[in-house]
Every structure is written in structure tokens, then in C-alpha cells.
């Protein structure tokens, strides 16, 4: 049963409006809804579990964990508001720790007792952000730093995000505020150098940006 964890940027900069009149946060919500509708058509999705996390401070950032149903997930997604800071590093740490806590509870990770190769629950973390400066209460940063400490139980057992059964993907929104007469015709999946790019690559995932609709 794969776990799909959506990490949504709820920083204040996600309130900026695109040339369509919608905010970046509206685009992010629509992207998640579209993904889930398309995924539901696949018979292999019956065992999927979804989690929803935002850029808020723990534990308020956890909107839907592994125990919440689909209706709760969609309701929490609908009610998201962009009011905080771009705390990408701390939010990623929370996402990875929540997945590790789930593995600890389910028995997938048996520290000191070995692994059961047949007991597998791959995880995919999908981050949707506007790629703006990483901010905190004290300063702004250009580089992504993943904290090594976390208040979640069991976080001291797994500090690194690198796992063979875990991938990080990112969608960076770059939609302009005004429509251009000549839109770019892109071939393939575009990418840009955002702070999250390197983290996606080292976890075996990928980062791309969304410029036009």
C-alpha cells in the first residue's frame, strides 16, 4: 500500500494571483484534486493512503495523517489558507518524521531486529510550492537546510531522509501575474534551480516547474 504525502506551501506568498485570477494556493489545491481523481481511475490505487501537511508549525501542520479518510483529506485541503512563512526545511523534516512514525507504528521498521523484505510500503512525498525565498522568524535563506532534530516521537531513530522506499517530488509554481502574448512551447518536463531541487535528486525523485496553464 503506497503512501502519497502532499506537502503544500501555505506561506503568505502563495496568496499572489496569477494571470488567471486565481492564487498560487488555488492552483496547488486544484493540482492535488486532479491528481487524486486521475489516480482513482487506476485499479492499483485501491490500497493508496494519503497524507496532507502544510508549512505551519507542528503539530498544526498535520492536516490529515494515516488514520483520516478521503473525506477528511479533501475537507482539510479545501480549507487551507496561506498565512505563514516559507519554512520548507522544517516542513520536509516533519513530513519525513511522520512517515517514519507510521513505519514504526505499523512494524515496517524494526530497529535492532532486522527488516522483513516482503513488508513494503513505499512513500512518495509531493511538495507544491512557489519556490520563493526560504524564511523563518529571524531571516531569509537561499539554501535548504533539513533540521536534524524534531519533536515527533521516534525521530531520533531516523535522521536522514534517504531511503530506498521513499522519493521526494516537487512542483514549483512560476505562473506570471499577467498573460504573455507569446507563450513558450515546452517539450518534456521543465526544471529550474529551486532550493528543493537538490533534495529531490538525492532522494531519487524529481523537481519541475509550472509556468503556464
Amino acid at each position: 500500500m503506497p503512501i502519497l504525502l502532499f506537502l503544500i506551501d501555505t506561506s503568505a506568498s502563495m496568496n499572489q494571483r496569477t494571470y488567471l485570477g486565481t492564487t498560487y494556493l488555488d492552483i496547488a489545491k486544484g493540482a492535488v484534486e486532479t491528481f487524486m481523481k486521475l489516480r482513482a481511475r487506476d485499479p492499483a490505487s485501491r490500497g493508496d493512503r494519503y497524507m496532507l501537511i502544510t508549512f505551519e508549525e507542528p503539530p498544526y501542520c498535520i492536516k490529515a495523517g494515516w488514520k483520516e479518510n478521503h473525506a477528511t483529506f479533501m475537507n482539510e485541503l479545501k480549507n487551507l489558507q496561506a498565512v505563514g512563512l516559507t519554512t520548507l526545511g522544517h516542513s520536509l523534516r516533519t513530513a519525513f518524521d511522520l512517515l517514519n512514525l507510521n513505519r514504526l507504528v505499523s512494524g515496517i521498521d524494526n530497529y535492532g531486529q532486522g527488516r522483513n523484505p516482503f513488508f513494503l510500503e513505499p512513500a512518495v512525498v509531493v511538495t507544491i510550492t512557489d519556490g520563493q525565498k526560504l524564511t523563518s522568524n529571524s531571516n531569509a535563506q537561499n539554501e535548504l537546510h533539513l533540521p536534524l532534530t524534531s519533536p515527533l516521537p521516534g525521530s531520533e531513530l531516523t535522521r536522514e531522509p534517504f531511503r530506498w522506499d521513499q522519493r521526494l517530488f516537487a512542483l514549483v509554481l512560476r505562473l506570471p501575474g499577467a498573460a504573455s502574448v507569446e507563450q513558450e512551447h515546452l517539450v518534456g518536463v521543465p526544471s529550474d534551480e529551486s532550493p528543493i531541487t537538490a533534495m529531490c535528486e538525492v532522494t531519487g525523485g524529481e523537481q519541475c516547474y509550472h509556468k503556464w496553464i
Side-chain angles (χ1 to χ4, degrees):
M1 294 189 300
I3 294 179
L4 294 102
L5 188 153
F6 291 96
L7 176 59
I8 308 299
D9 186 347
T10 51
S11 61
S13 59
M14 291 290 282
N15 282 318
Q16 60 184 309
R17 293 193 176 275
T18 70
Y19 67 96
L20 298 171
T22 55
T23 66
Y24 273 33
L25 185 58
D26 292 332
I27 299 295
K29 292 178 182 180
V32 175
E33 291 179 358
T34 300
F35 175 88
M36 295 185 69
K37 289 178 181 179
L38 294 175
R39 175 65 179 168
R41 299 176 184 176
D42 187 348
S45 67
R46 294 178 180 177
D48 289 355
R49 293 197 292 162
Y50 296 94
M51 297 183 185
L52 180 63
I53 295 181
T54 67
F55 278 23
E56 298 175 61
E57 291 291 328
Y60 308 106
C61 60
I62 304 175
K63 302 302 181 181
W66 61 82
K67 293 183 180 180
E68 278 71 36
N69 56 30
H70 178 77
T72 300
F73 180 99
M74 297 305 296
N75 185 61
E76 291 291 344
L77 177 67
K78 179 182 179 181
N79 293 327
L80 292 184
Q81 295 182 349
V83 294
L85 300 172
T86 310
T87 54
L88 179 56
H90 288 277
S91 300
L92 281 173
R93 174 81 269 176
T94 301
F96 292 137
D97 285 344
L98 184 61
L99 290 171
N100 289 331
L101 182 59
N102 171 65
R103 298 182 185 108
L104 204 60
V105 172
S106 62
I108 291 179
D109 283 347
N110 296 300
Y111 293 97
Q113 302 179 31
R115 283 188 62 90
N116 297 319
F118 58 85
F119 197 3
L120 175 64
E121 192 171 43
V124 175
V125 179
V126 180
T127 302
I128 304 179
T129 178
D130 60 358
Q132 296 296 325
K133 290 277 188 180
L134 306 181
T135 56
S136 65
N137 291 323
S138 57
N139 58 17
Q141 302 173 342
N142 292 321
E143 297 182 357
L144 174 63
H145 297 283
L146 201 66
L148 296 180
T149 58
S150 169
L152 285 180
S155 61
E156 69 279 1
L157 298 174
T158 308
R159 292 191 174 186
E160 298 291 342
F162 315 113
R163 295 178 60 103
W164 65 279
D165 56 354
Q166 179 172 279
R167 300 287 183 271
L168 170 65
F169 294 85
L171 174 61
V172 180
L173 303 177
R174 301 289 193 192
L175 284 79
S180 175
V181 177
E182 296 182 359
Q183 297 187 6
E184 298 179 22
H185 296 282
L186 301 174
V187 179
V189 179
S191 62
D192 70 346
E193 291 301 320
S194 299
I196 199 174
T197 302
M199 183 63 69
C200 291
E201 292 177 350
V202 297
T203 59
E206 189 178 0
Q207 175 267 331
C208 64
Y209 74 92
H210 191 15
K211 194 171 183 179
W212 297 102
I213 294 181

